[in-house]
Amino acid sequence: MLSVTEARERILSHFQTTAEGNIPLIECANRVLAMDVTAAHDLPLFDNSSMDGFAIRAVDYSTAAASKVTLSVVADIPAGSVPTVTLAQGQAARIMTGAQLPEGADAVIPVEDTDFNDRSANTVAPQTVSFTRVVKVGENVRPRGMDLHAGEVVLQKGRRLKPQDLGLLAMLGVGRVQVHKKPRVALLSSGDELLEVDAPLTAGKIHDSNSYALAALIENAGADILRLGVAQDNRESVESLLQKAVNENADLIVSSAGVSVGAFDFVKEVIEANGKLDFWRVNMRPGKPLAFGEYRGRPFFGLPGNPVSAFVGFEIFVRPVLERLSGQLDGIRFTVKVRCAEEIESDGRESYLRAKIRIEDGIRIATLTGHQGSGNLLSLVQADALLIIPAGVKCVPVGQEVEAILL
Ligand code: AMP
Ligand code: MG
């Protein structure tokens, strides 16, 4: 039997990523950078004010006590304008947040700390401004290069772009970037018992739930989804859906059910006739049987049919593939340590158990969310985490710490 790590390594060795150039920033959310991004200029690019107020020469009265200072206002500097004055002793300039500091200024006193309180729109600057507090040199000034300098690498290749990354790229005037291709995943369910979610249930039938949960997981992993629907348990139906995946250029086919040793498992037969399929017994629970192969050159994953097994199989095997395909290098799935509130028995396979987490005195305490049958989707819905019980462990005593994947 393969260990989870061995199975994952074997699978991953079949995949590599492709880069695409010059993609507009607006299309890059959640995609992975294929280049290091170096800042072409400093940020901020010029000394500017972090407040609406008056730019002054604090250096001239930095030692003065809190006696009243009155300055003549010689300029008005809205954001986006270029100051043309140089402040001399005794002078100030009204300035707005983000506006460039005039020459000679070294601090900004906020408008609310002065005698000029009129902040309604379009008011003209006053002739003079007074204040009574000490202003420190540098106060409310964001100097050039305070955040970063030209030439610094600000985002690295392999990073999945977050909203704030897009903001930073725009700040630096980077309108197009090289990213990795977004994987395209074809998804199908299989089984004569499966009905669409809006079809009325009839005797012996159930709703197809895997294609909803798995579709959301695929999108959440940053891939495009091609929903193929449900294949019936016959050769023609399976073949026509798989062919659609090929025609529509899927990078990966993910199927659930139909690959066990059941008598009506046509998925297996069709794939074997048009590619190849390996059946792996992976030392894990849930989801021991895993099928991996290819259909007409397209990599194929056969996840188990039971909803919890399909979910766990996705998280453990398919998500890492999607990370690899999409070029992600920072794709470590963080685990946390949790303390078991109850004794947990295991059968020696690497087990992923559904648990609810509460925090007591700063410690995460885990309680299982009910019976761990692989069809019990409610127990996954109620769970905050999957506890990882390592291979070889038969019993975890109360109070012991284990690793957990937060859901
Ligand atoms: P199989 O792998 O075909 O033997 O299916 C294993 C179990 O998973 C059976 O109870 C199926 O009814 C169930 N199952 C298979 N596919 C789905 C699906 N798409 N949604 C919900 N349950 C499913
Ligand atoms: Mg079936």
Side-chain angles (χ1 to χ4, degrees), residues 69-373:
V69 174
T70 301
L71 302 173
S72 58
V73 178
V74 297
D76 199 9
I77 314 170
S81 74
V82 181
T84 51
V85 294
T86 299
L87 290 191
Q89 207 162 13
Q91 294 183 334
R94 186 166 74 155
I95 192 165
M96 299 301 146
T97 304
Q100 186 169 342
L101 231 63
E103 289 288 326
D106 58 16
V108 170
I109 175 137
V111 66
E112 51 268 43
D113 294 351
T114 71
D115 64 343
F116 182 71
N117 288 318
D118 188 353
R119 288 204 280 169
S120 44
N122 297 320
T123 48
V124 290
Q127 299 279 307
T128 64
V129 64
S130 301
F131 53 91
T132 54
R133 76 164 172 84
V134 174
V135 180
K136 281 190 267 167
V137 169
E139 211 180 303
N140 301 316
V141 174
R142 302 186 283 213
R144 172 174 189 151
M146 179 192 202
D147 303 345
L148 62 95
H149 289 109
E152 268 181 54
V153 174
V154 292
L155 289 168
Q156 282 180 328
K157 189 175 162 159
R159 177 179 172 98
R160 195 174 285 281
L161 291 168
K162 301 176 183 178
Q164 56 269 44
D165 299 347
L166 301 185
L168 184 65
L169 289 167
M171 265 189 181
L172 289 168
V174 180
R176 288 173 177 266
V177 283
Q178 262 185 31
V179 288
H180 290 279
K181 193 168 170 281
K182 209 174 180 186
R184 197 168 155 69
V185 182
L187 177 67
L188 66 144
S189 294
S190 80
D192 277 346
E193 75 277 33
L194 302 178
L195 295 175
E196 281 298 336
V197 69
D198 43 10
L201 284 177
T202 51
K205 308 283 186 190
I206 60 172
H207 291 300
D208 163 25
S209 64
N210 288 346
S211 78
Y212 287 86
L214 292 172
L217 284 169
I218 289 164
E219 287 194 324
N220 165 276
D224 281 332
I225 171 112
L226 174 64
R227 292 193 69 202
L228 298 175
V230 178
Q232 299 300 303
D233 286 323
N234 63 67
R235 186 168 313 154
E236 297 68 39
S237 177
V238 170
E239 214 151 33
S240 89
L241 291 196
L242 289 175
Q243 194 50 44
K244 209 165 151 199
V246 175
N247 298 346
E248 305 236 356
N249 232 351
D251 298 305
L252 183 66
I253 304 169
V254 174
S255 155
S256 65
V259 286
S260 53
V261 286
F264 300 95
D265 289 346
F266 286 94
V267 174
K268 186 164 130 188
E269 195 182 308
V270 170
I271 304 244
E272 278 171 341
N274 294 277
K276 60 172 193 276
L277 199 57
D278 284 332
F279 288 90
W280 296 348
R281 289 172 62 242
V282 183
N283 191 26
M284 70 186 286
R285 178 177 70 127
K288 178 163 80 175
L290 178 74
F292 181 72
E294 63 173 70
Y295 178 81
R296 298 184 192 244
R298 312 279 155 169
F300 172 90
F301 262 104
L303 296 174
N306 276 308
V308 178
S309 310
F311 183 98
V312 171
F314 181 93
E315 287 297 306
I316 304 304
F317 299 113
V318 185
R319 186 183 290 278
V321 164
L322 296 181
E323 284 172 355
R324 163 84 47 107
L325 273 176
S326 59
Q328 189 172 349
L329 297 175
D330 58 357
I332 312 142
R333 198 90 214 271
F334 289 105
T335 55
V336 296
K337 283 217 158 38
V338 302
R339 189 171 290 176
C340 298
E342 63 196 284
E343 181 177 289
I344 297 172
E345 296 199 342
S346 189
D347 66 359
R349 285 183 280 170
E350 180 166 321
S351 301
Y352 294 85
L353 306 183
R354 291 141 259 168
K356 189 135 196 76
I357 308 285
R358 64 177 194 279
I359 297 184
E360 262 172 36
D361 300 329
I363 294 165
R364 294 188 182 88
I365 313 276
T367 320
L368 298 184
T369 53
H371 86 82
Q372 299 286 310

